[in-house]
Amino acid sequence: MPQTKAVIITGASDGIGKTMALAFARRGYRLGLIARREALLNEVASHCLNSGAPSAEVCAVDVTDIALFRERLKALLAKLGDVEIFVANAGIGDTVPPTQDGSEHAIRMVDLNIKAAFVGIETM
């Protein structure tokens, strides 16, 4: 019997990531849910299981910790098996007022929005 399709979503604890996780759950996908906040991830996983997902694996990690993210993503892939879809959703898009030094915030945005996405895609 063929295994159901699987998807991994970063930034899955709220917002667009949570909404996508629930949408994939309703379509019967096995889920790998990644975000920093484990308690919220567990809530999302529970909602997904109640919405039709056959399984929902939770991986609490900050995707900007590249080495740890890569390690945890590999472990998640080993649990899920074949993964058809990877959604690099984790990100931030807010702005820093011009009166503040925005360089640190800009570096965080690049690390989260770009570097972590590339690492995830490369690891897949």
Side-chain angles (χ1 to χ4, degrees), residues 71-86:
E71 175 186 310
R72 299 263 176 92
L73 182 54
K74 286 179 182 179
L76 186 58
L77 286 165
K79 283 183 182 179
L80 289 172
D82 290 333
V83 174
E84 290 79 12
I85 301 169
F86 175 72

Side-chain angles (χ1 to χ4, degrees), residues 99-110:
T99 57
Q100 291 180 309
D101 178 10
S103 62
E104 186 175 313
H105 183 73
I107 290 167
R108 173 99 173 124
M109 285 181 66
V110 168

